Amino acid sequence: MRSSDASVSPRSAPTPSQEALSDPAPAPVVAYDFGLSPRAIERVLAAALDKGGEFAELFCEYRISTRIFMEEEIVKKTAENVSLGAGVRVLSGEKTGYAYTNDLSERGLSQAARTAAAIATGGAPGRVLSLREGTPGREVYDLNRTLTLVPLETRLDLVRRAYEAATSYDHRISKLQVSFADGLRHVLIANSEGLLVTDVRPQVRLAVSALAEHNGTSDLGFFTGGGRVGLAYFQNVLPPEQIARTAAEEAIILLEAVAPPAGAQPVVLGGGQSGVMIHEAVGHPLEADGNRRGTSIMAGRMGTMVATPQVTVYDDPTIPHLRGSLNVDDEGTPTQRTMLIERGKLVGYLQDRLSARLLGMPLTGHGRRESYQHYPIPRMTNTILAQGPYAPEEVIASVKKGFYAKSFQGGQVEESGKFVFSVNLGYLIENGRLTRPVKNATLIGTNVQVLKSISMVANDMGYFLGSCGKEGQSAAVTAGTPTLRIDSITVGGRR
Amino acid sequence: MNKSDELLALAESLVEFGRRAGAEEVEVGIRQGVEFTVRVRNGQIEHLVEAGARSLGARVIVDHRVATTSSSDLSRDTLERLLTNAVTRARLVSADPYAGLPEKEELAVDIASLRLYDPAIASLGAEEKIQMALRTEELCLADPRIKSSYGATCATSVGQFYLANSLGFSGCYEGTSISLGVYLQAGQGDELVEDGWYEGTRHFADLPSPEAIAQKALHRVTRMIGPRKIPTQNVPVVLEPDITGELLDLLFTCANGAAIYQRQSFLVDKLGERVASDIVNVVDDGLFPAGPGTRPFDGEGVPTRKTAVIEQGVLRSYLLDTYSGRKLGMRSTGNASGVNNFYLAPGPYAPEEIIASVEKGLLITGTMGWGFNPVTGDLSRGAFGLWIEHGQIVHPVAEVTISGNLASMLRSVEMVGNDFRLRRSIIGPTIKIAEMTVAGS
């Protein structure tokens, strides 16, 4: 039970621009009607505060998703999944009571509310303010031609195109798996402070896994595209063929790859992929819960220099179309860009309601939950390391002998700041140039040391699309980073 | 919620509906469960979750074309719409001659003999569970070496699974589980260490006491205080039971039928060949009484069984569902739901004897990260552990990575411990591996 980790298919993808994604023929997305009047919701919230809790919240969710899977030249399976349910949360001091149900009748929700209420013991019933219906106030998703609403044949075509492109990339590509998933998540959030807000969130992902085989050697390449995008993304930003070719290329390069050089050395992290590092080394330790409890390695360091002045990191859910983007968080708080480290100095945490209240700090819109079966906890959305002044080539050229990490399988961090990343494809750096490809390297370190060891940040930028796990809950995230240099970090591998 | 004939009847009637909607074969499974979780931290309840939930999954096959669907909305309208959509969708995908339901087999086991259900857990009160968690944490916080607690958790679940298909299979079973554990942080400044312990069982009477769990958690975290770095070297490594389990997890990735027919495994074409040292026996047993992964039948209704995967070092079987079995010209081994209870069978040595046999090496107590390639068997991950010299544990070790190859690790298992307990559905005893690369500073 590690306190937090991110397991990802972290393949970088270009940023979709607003312009490229506009489409002249939008299909309307109608918000799901949960069939609950504001008065009925107020009664449910009142039942939740009947035992004297301070805050009550109702979270209703309807999610529809489609999956397509292709291997061995054929589309093997399609799946359509529906999830409908609601959770009621009651806060009383530091205590959280939570109950969820698939029964969205007022009776079913009131039953859940009474279960959640049991966390509070004694005290007068809490007050529920009249609900004021609000809108998220921004639109960071592409609901134009949402893939969930285009015909299945169109989506099958994207999958087949990816499969075909990877097959024809190189004769040594011997096996392929292409998976596609799209979903629409409708949420309604209401609380005892009078908040009532709805949001509709699309999510799309096309993933290609390619196996290359040659002369008894074989290896796997991966790449993923997607985000909160519609069909236009695959037409104008990142076609399926490009996703497929990137995966196939990685598998082919890996056929020639050697074992990594083990031991502490300078390491250059490639743009986009190094997002895994910032996600683990900066993002997780700055989630407010670990700091409120004092278990995070960053607890008590607010206002101090925790990194070199090269390092500026923020989390921004308001960047349109990215995988982690949100109009409001899962507590209904409008999202905003939140500065975490400014030129090396620790300046902020990622907050949910409970932590913000206990710390006496403002909300930042980072309360997220996997589904109605989970209560919200502070999470990242799109975590970005700001660009620096150097050309990426300059960063690589500054290393005489070291390691370049290009793509990652995933990473994990403890609250104590110890982390690891598994590198799928890397390169040796010899005399300032990338030379031989390297496979199966692991980077290991602690965040307090690594942040003070980042000495150069480049002016490029890339993103990875990931799924982050914490306390058993998964959340869709993006991390964005330029190429950067770490003066010394331990690289694990066989000598 | 009790075992309900109503839900089995719903599954059966939806099978019938799917057939009328045009599917040749239909399978419907329904899960229902009640979960309770309480976490206490610093002597106070931090959160308490209680809920009942239901979900349904269905598979239809039309002319060897497959479509699946699932829903947590069990209203008849929604389910009929989803099944109708599934039949339509199935016609859009490619025909696959291997697709289809399993042949019907009779269950050979009396479900009650599997000891999956304990009424004592179903009727355990919330207050009793809260007290167990409080007691476990309290015992840990009394130790001055503990800096913080991540909390102690007590959780129970009571659930049922119903399955019906168009070949006439209709079955259900119910199970309970309870777990109790605590996770701790010790150390100072930038040198913090984390560890803990939990136990989970299907019967309340089998759950170790809060005292036993607290003691184990304290031992595990305090032994890691003050870790040192070590230089990169090739040494013997000893794996604790949970770490042996992690190795078996990777082995399953390579031994499951999909990896084999996809040829994405170093075990392809190795049946009958020696793949491990002759003291290695690996078993998947779906019928182990009261085991965490025990089930009378898998997600396709195939009866589970005891399957020897590696016998005295020789690969004897893959773990298959109906589809991968047909692709490989074999029969399902009852693994459509993944592993059942997948374990490395115990050997003769006490763990202390294994440690005492190491002149210089690493006892691995935890790992971090992923780095594994099933095609080659190459693995690399972060590790924590205890350094051994002259058969004695001398100091904790942090920030190292271990690298090796699963195939060569299995071949170089030198000693197998006698400390086997089916605490998790994938686990083994303490084992010793002749050599791995441990990369440090």
Side-chain angles (χ1 to χ4, degrees):
Chain A
M1 192 181 91
R2 300 283 172 222
S3 49
S4 52
D5 60 65
S7 85
V8 286
S9 295
R11 311 298 152 194
S12 53
T15 330
S17 74
Q18 191 77 45
E19 200 177 346
L21 289 170
S22 58
D23 191 284
V29 175
V30 180
Y32 184 83
D33 180 5
F34 291 96
L36 295 164
S37 71
R39 300 292 86 77
I41 295 171
E42 285 167 10
R43 288 191 291 271
V44 170
L45 293 170
L49 291 184
D50 197 40
K51 294 280 195 320
E54 292 136 28
F55 173 84
E57 170 188 81
L58 173 67
F59 178 84
C60 299
E61 181 182 31
Y62 171 75
R63 194 192 302 218
I64 182 155
S65 58
T66 307
R67 290 174 185 277
I68 301 168
F69 181 66
M70 183 168 182
E71 65 172 3
E72 299 186 306
E73 317 289 317
I74 61 172
V75 175
K76 279 206 176 159
K77 212 190 298 183
T78 68
E80 182 184 20
N81 306 302
V82 167
S83 169
L84 174 66
V88 179
R89 177 167 69 139
V90 175
L91 298 181
S92 174
E94 287 192 56
K95 294 189 282 189
T96 298
Y98 197 71
Y100 60 86
T101 178
N102 303 126
D103 177 1
L104 270 67
S105 68
E106 187 181 339
R107 193 169 150 270
L109 295 175
S110 299
Q111 176 61 41
R114 283 190 292 274
T115 304
I119 194 79
T121 43
R127 194 159 151 251
V128 177
L129 302 181
S130 315
L131 296 176
R132 303 174 307 278
E133 229 169 309
T135 54
R138 61 165 54 93
E139 205 48 74
V140 300
Y141 317 131
D142 186 5
L143 289 170
N144 292 341
R145 298 180 71 199
T146 291
L147 278 147
T148 306
L149 300 182
V150 307
L152 187 68
E153 287 90 334
T154 308
R155 289 172 273 175
L156 284 166
D157 183 52
L158 297 175
V159 171
R160 292 197 179 102
R161 280 167 53 196
Y163 197 97
E164 175 52 36
T167 307
S168 57
Y169 178 80
D170 189 295
H171 69 279
R172 291 168 290 178
I173 297 293
S174 58
K175 293 277 179 188
L176 282 165
Q177 292 181 330
V178 178
S179 64
F180 173 88
D182 68 77
L184 268 185
R185 184 179 176 185
H186 300 253
V187 300
L188 176 155
I189 305 155
N191 69 32
S192 55
E193 294 173 2
L195 176 126
L196 174 60
V197 65
T198 57
D199 196 17
V200 185
R201 304 163 179 172
Q203 189 67 271
V204 178
R205 185 167 171 138
L206 177 65
V208 178
S209 163
L211 178 74
E213 285 183 278
H214 189 60
N215 288 342
T217 305
S218 50
D219 239 299
L220 285 165
F222 307 91
F223 199 73
T224 301
R228 298 198 187 274
V229 298
L231 184 59
Y233 172 84
F234 294 106
Q235 292 166 337
N236 307 330
V237 180
L238 187 61
E241 288 82 0
Q242 198 179 326
I243 297 170
R245 282 194 294 264
T246 308
E249 182 188 25
E250 182 170 293
I252 295 294
I253 294 171
L254 281 168
L255 288 175
E256 309 293 326
V258 297
Q265 57 198 287
V267 169
V268 174
L269 302 179
Q273 298 299 303
S274 45
V276 182
M277 220 261 318
I278 294 307
H279 177 96
E280 304 295 352
V282 180
H284 277 301
L286 292 179
E287 289 161 343
D289 46 357
N291 289 280
R292 159 168 72 79
R293 296 180 186 126
T295 47
S296 169
I297 188 74
M298 288 296 179
R301 297 187 199 228
M302 187 61 85
T304 68
M305 290 294 287
V306 296
T308 59
Q310 309 261 355
V311 178
T312 291
V313 179
Y314 55 89
D315 188 278
D316 193 352
T318 69
I319 303 169
H321 314 306
L322 291 185
R323 187 170 156 78
S325 301
L326 289 170
N327 291 322
V328 291
D329 71 4
D330 292 322
E331 302 178 315
T333 307
T335 51
Q336 62 184 62
R337 174 196 277 216
T338 301
M339 195 58 86
L340 298 173
I341 294 178
E342 202 160 16
R343 292 193 201 106
K345 190 161 101 177
L346 177 56
V347 296
Y349 297 140
L350 300 173
Q351 301 281 359
D352 65 350
R353 278 180 171 270
L354 180 65
S355 291
R357 196 186 56 181
L358 294 172
L359 288 166
M361 294 175 80
L363 291 171
T364 63
H366 288 87
R368 302 185 67 187
R369 48 180 134 201
E370 181 178 320
S371 77
Y372 70 90
Q373 298 191 353
H374 304 85
Y375 54 83
I377 50 178
R379 301 299 294 264
M380 285 172 263
T381 63
N382 306 309
T383 313
I384 315 286
L385 176 74
Q387 287 159 304
Y390 302 96
E393 304 74 41
E394 279 181 273
V395 178
I396 295 166
S398 76
V399 176
K400 189 157 171 56
K401 188 163 175 294
F403 178 69
Y404 177 87
K406 183 165 194 304
S407 74
F408 287 77
Q409 288 183 11
Q412 191 174 359
V413 69
E414 286 194 336
E415 290 206 28
S416 54
K418 297 182 182 73
F419 63 71
V420 296
F421 312 111
S422 304
V423 181
N424 202 49
L425 171 63
Y427 289 87
L428 298 178
I429 307 177
E430 292 170 304
N431 294 318
R433 287 171 191 276
L434 303 187
T435 56
R436 300 200 65 178
V438 171
K439 63 171 119 186
N440 298 321
T442 298
L443 304 184
I444 186 162
T446 57
N447 66 344
V448 284
Q449 289 156 5
V450 164
L451 290 174
K452 291 194 166 157
S453 184
I454 295 176
S455 57
M456 291 175 88
V457 178
N459 57 15
D460 57 340
M461 179 61 71
Y463 295 93
F464 86 25
L465 316 175
S467 291
C468 163
K470 176 180 170 184
E471 292 185 21
Q473 295 194 41
S474 175
V477 296
T478 304
T481 27
T483 299
L484 60 90
R485 175 187 156 132
I486 299 170
D487 285 343
S488 176
I489 186 170
T490 300
V491 178
R494 277 182 284 174
R495 339 182 229 199
Chain B
M1 274 178 261
N2 285 318
K3 200 155 75 171
S4 121
D5 295 338
E6 215 175 289
L7 288 180
L8 193 57
L10 175 64
E12 288 168 357
S13 78
L14 288 168
V15 167
E16 207 34 57
F17 178 87
R19 296 267 296 156
R20 284 201 308 275
E24 281 138 26
E25 297 186 301
V26 187
E27 174 184 86
V28 175
I30 301 177
R31 280 180 198 285
Q32 165 175 274
V34 177
E35 70 147 271
F36 174 95
T37 305
V38 61
R39 182 165 78 192
V40 304
R41 201 174 63 82
N42 296 334
Q44 301 285 324
I45 291 176
E46 185 165 67
H47 66 242
L48 189 147
V49 179
E50 193 167 6
R54 293 171 167 189
S55 65
L56 178 144
R59 174 164 64 143
V60 303
I61 297 148
V62 184
D63 188 23
H64 294 288
R65 296 160 208 267
V66 184
T68 63
T69 187
S70 73
S71 179
S72 65
D73 175 1
L74 295 205
S75 67
R76 187 86 199 180
D77 287 357
T78 300
L79 297 176
E80 292 189 354
R81 176 174 59 78
L82 289 173
L83 276 168
T84 308
N85 286 353
V87 172
T88 308
R89 269 188 296 116
R91 297 198 169 102
L92 290 175
V93 308
S94 329
D96 184 345
Y98 301 95
L101 297 181
E103 284 92 66
K104 195 180 175 191
E105 293 178 66
E106 292 306 320
L107 287 187
V109 61
D110 166 30
I111 292 177
S113 73
L114 299 179
R115 301 183 59 239
L116 299 176
Y117 183 83
D118 178 14
I121 290 177
S123 61
L124 196 63
E127 191 51 35
E128 201 167 343
K129 296 178 230 185
I130 293 166
Q131 288 305 324
M132 283 195 291
L134 285 169
R135 177 74 183 141
T136 308
E137 195 201 34
E138 182 190 8
L139 290 162
C140 295
L141 289 178
D143 190 307
R145 295 168 296 180
I146 300 305
K147 176 184 172 280
S148 317
S149 162
Y150 290 98
T153 300
C154 184
T156 54
S157 82
V158 181
Q160 295 87 35
F161 179 57
Y162 305 85
L163 185 72
N165 74 27
S166 54
L167 298 177
F169 180 91
S170 182
C172 62
Y173 60 89
E174 63 184 329
T176 49
S177 69
I178 182 164
S179 67
L180 179 64
V182 62
Y183 203 72
L184 305 163
Q185 192 177 63
Q188 289 175 342
D190 288 354
E191 292 292 335
L192 300 174
V193 294
E194 298 168 20
D195 210 337
W197 189 246
Y198 85 93
E199 294 275 354
T201 62
R202 288 189 173 276
H203 289 260
F204 187 40
D206 296 339
L207 187 72
S209 67
E211 288 73 16
I213 291 166
Q215 193 182 10
K216 181 93 180 183
L218 279 171
H219 167 70
R220 288 184 65 84
V221 69
T222 55
R223 69 183 177 170
M224 297 306 297
I225 295 174
R228 299 190 207 161
K229 294 193 177 184
I230 51 169
T232 301
Q233 55 199 294
N234 289 345
V235 288
V237 297
V238 178
L239 313 187
E240 288 199 329
D242 285 1
I243 311 299
T244 306
E246 291 181 17
L247 205 65
L248 291 171
D249 208 359
L250 302 181
L251 180 66
F252 173 68
T253 306
C254 303
N256 88 78
I260 302 300
Y261 79 70
Q262 274 287 338
R263 304 186 70 78
Q264 297 198 1
S265 163
F266 76 94
L267 294 175
V268 168
D269 298 331
K270 296 271 170 54
L271 279 184
E273 288 184 27
R274 173 165 299 285
V275 297
S277 130
D278 60 8
I279 55 172
V280 170
N281 291 285
V282 177
V283 175
D284 180 70
D285 186 356
L287 303 173
F288 197 105
T294 302
R295 43 172 83 94
F297 52 86
D298 71 5
E300 294 183 302
V302 174
T304 57
R305 63 204 71 190
K306 184 169 179 175
T307 305
V309 177
I310 297 177
E311 204 169 40
Q312 295 181 340
V314 176
L315 183 66
R316 291 293 179 203
S317 180
Y318 301 124
L319 296 179
L320 307 167
D321 60 5
T322 299
Y323 182 79
S324 61
R326 283 190 189 134
K327 295 281 284 188
L328 296 165
M330 298 170 187
R331 280 177 73 87
S332 168
T333 53
N335 289 97
S337 309
V339 297
N340 297 306
N341 298 296
F342 188 57
Y343 59 87
L344 195 145
Y349 300 101
E352 303 75 40
E353 287 180 86
I354 296 178
I355 291 165
S357 77
V358 176
E359 187 49 34
K360 191 172 83 157
L362 182 67
L363 170 67
I364 300 172
T365 61
T367 68
M368 277 180 91
W370 285 262
F372 179 64
N373 183 337
V375 179
T376 58
D378 288 335
L379 71 93
S380 172
R381 47 178 70 186
F384 306 90
L386 300 165
W387 192 246
I388 306 171
E389 276 188 23
H390 311 304
Q392 302 276 327
I393 288 168
V394 288
H395 62 77
V397 171
E399 273 185 55
V400 295
T401 66
I402 46 167
S403 308
N405 179 278
L406 185 55
S408 52
M409 286 168 74
L410 288 169
R411 281 195 299 270
S412 55
V413 173
E414 285 187 338
M415 295 172 94
V416 177
N418 60 10
D419 53 338
F420 175 75
R421 205 153 55 85
L422 202 61
R423 253 182 74 244
R424 302 178 175 193
S425 57
I426 303 184
I427 200 157
T430 299
I431 61 171
K432 178 183 173 188
I433 290 170
E435 187 179 282
M436 287 185 80
T437 302
V438 178
S441 50

